[in-house]
Amino acid sequence: MNDEQYAFVFLYAIYTALAFFTQGTILGKPIRLLTTFVHEFSHALACMLTGGQVAQIEVYDNAGGVTRFRGGCRCIISPAGYLGEAFWGFIFVILSGGRRTATFAGGGLILALLITLCYAPNRTMVIIAVFYSIFTFVCIFIEWYVFTPLLHFVILYFGVYFSFIAVNDIFDHQVARAPPGSDAYALYEDSYRRCSCCYPRCIGLQWLIFAILLQITGFVLGYMLLSEECENGGWFECIFHTKVDFFDDWNWDELMNFE
């Protein structure tokens, strides 16, 4: 285990503990609202990808939210919220280890936040979009021009928190109970009403297992990609011993040099 891997494991544990102890508190509210945005944006993205039209994306001060849409495949849109939290948490964790990949993750988050402003956001959603866009951009600027590493820590924190809240929320709202109006109940009504093995809480259990597996996989891949064997190789080259890296030909030093 090298120094970067020690730091990754240590920070992952600290961030998980921080997420556990700050959930439901005023200290954890800002990142909780960002997680709600990820949930709602995942619904919206699933709607767009299945041919639907998104009318509005809202996030409320109580950490709730709603995405209003027309059309699309509801069987994909309904689970996309919670599974989207887990998926993007997984992606952020494995992207956090490298300077370029962390920058890519931060840029993607900024883009998603700005896109949301085009879909009749409420006041809280506007505040989230503006604040986190500026915050993430500042972190990227500091990472490249002032001090490194910084962005790695921020992206890892986002990823760990998204993953933790996905597991926690799925258990609390879709497994322990799945009332009418919940995402699991909506999927049950749309697709599985005739299937005795797919009651809402059973659907929630399937989502919970998927979210936990994603969290474990993200941790393992994030740890693996920081190994000395992977230091000079691309992702796929390291994991699958096949050279496929979309960023190899990008001269990031020139791209980030505005002088």
Side-chain angles (χ1 to χ4, degrees), residues 106-151:
L109 177 61
I110 293 173
L111 179 62
L113 288 164
L114 296 180
I115 288 174
T116 303
L117 296 178
C118 300
Y119 292 96
N122 62 332
R123 180 175 178 271
T124 302
M125 184 65 253
V126 172
I127 293 173
I128 294 169
V130 172
F131 173 79
Y132 276 105
S133 293
I134 294 174
F135 173 79
T136 307
F137 178 81
V138 169
C139 288
I140 293 173
F141 180 86
I142 293 174
E143 172 69 33
W144 284 91
Y145 298 108
V146 181
F147 172 80
T148 185
L150 171 65
L151 188 62

Side-chain angles (χ1 to χ4, degrees), residues 46-53 69-77:
C47 175
M48 297 174 195
L49 293 176
T50 56
Q53 293 183 331
F69 61 91
R70 296 184 297 274
C73 179
R74 292 184 63 89
C75 295
I76 296 176
I77 297 171

Side-chain angles (χ1 to χ4, degrees), residues 227-248:
S227 66
E228 294 177 359
E229 292 80 2
C230 294
E231 185 175 359
N232 297 317
W235 285 16
F236 285 84
E237 182 181 5
C238 174
I239 299 172
F240 302 109
H241 305 290
T242 301
K243 188 173 180 58
V244 179
D245 196 322
F246 299 105
F247 302 107
D248 276 351

Side-chain angles (χ1 to χ4, degrees), residues 9-253:
V9 173
F10 176 76
L11 287 173
Y12 198 101
I14 292 297
Y15 288 162
T16 301
L18 190 62
F20 177 80
F21 288 110
T22 61
Q23 61 173 328
T25 70
I26 192 171
L27 292 176
K29 188 171 183 178
I31 185 68
R32 186 64 179 87
L33 291 175
L34 179 64
T35 307
T36 302
F37 156 74
V38 172
H39 180 108
E40 298 304 331
F41 186 80
S42 297
H43 279 310
L45 186 60
C47 175
M48 297 174 195
L49 293 176
T50 56
Q53 293 183 331
V54 177
Q56 188 174 35
I57 301 174
E58 293 186 331
V59 172
Y60 305 130
D61 192 56
N62 64 357
V66 64
T67 299
R68 296 182 173 87
F69 61 91
R70 296 184 297 274
C73 179
R74 292 184 63 89
C75 295
I76 296 176
I77 297 171
S78 293
Y82 289 108
L83 298 187
E85 293 176 25
F87 175 75
W88 294 117
F90 159 79
I91 292 295
F92 272 47
V93 167
I94 64 175
L95 288 176
S96 66
R99 194 183 194 193
R100 294 177 297 175
T101 53
T103 301
F104 182 77
L109 177 61
I110 293 173
L111 179 62
L113 288 164
L114 296 180
I115 288 174
T116 303
L117 296 178
C118 300
Y119 292 96
N122 62 332
R123 180 175 178 271
T124 302
M125 184 65 253
V126 172
I127 293 173
I128 294 169
V130 172
F131 173 79
Y132 276 105
S133 293
I134 294 174
F135 173 79
T136 307
F137 178 81
V138 169
C139 288
I140 293 173
F141 180 86
I142 293 174
E143 172 69 33
W144 284 91
Y145 298 108
V146 181
F147 172 80
T148 185
L150 171 65
L151 188 62
H152 309 66
F153 302 151
V154 173
I155 296 301
L156 178 60
Y157 178 57
F158 286 170
V160 171
Y161 197 92
F162 295 163
S163 298
F164 176 85
I165 291 299
V167 171
N168 186 73
D169 282 358
I170 291 172
F171 178 79
D172 283 348
H173 305 311
Q174 312 298 319
V175 178
R177 55 188 178 88
S182 67
D183 288 346
Y185 196 91
L187 182 59
Y188 164 71
E189 285 190 317
D190 290 335
S191 305
Y192 297 129
R193 184 176 287 275
R194 296 182 180 180
C195 181
S196 61
C197 66
C198 290
Y199 291 119
R201 292 172 68 179
C202 182
I203 294 171
L205 180 61
Q206 296 172 43
W207 294 358
L208 180 64
I209 293 171
F210 181 79
I212 292 173
L213 289 176
L214 268 185
Q215 188 170 27
I216 294 172
T217 304
F219 176 83
V220 172
L221 288 180
Y223 179 86
M224 182 187 304
L225 290 169
L226 291 172
S227 66
E228 294 177 359
E229 292 80 2
C230 294
E231 185 175 359
N232 297 317
W235 285 16
F236 285 84
E237 182 181 5
C238 174
I239 299 172
F240 302 109
H241 305 290
T242 301
K243 188 173 180 58
V244 179
D245 196 322
F246 299 105
F247 302 107
D248 276 351
D249 297 330
W250 291 27
N251 190 328
W252 283 78
D253 292 331

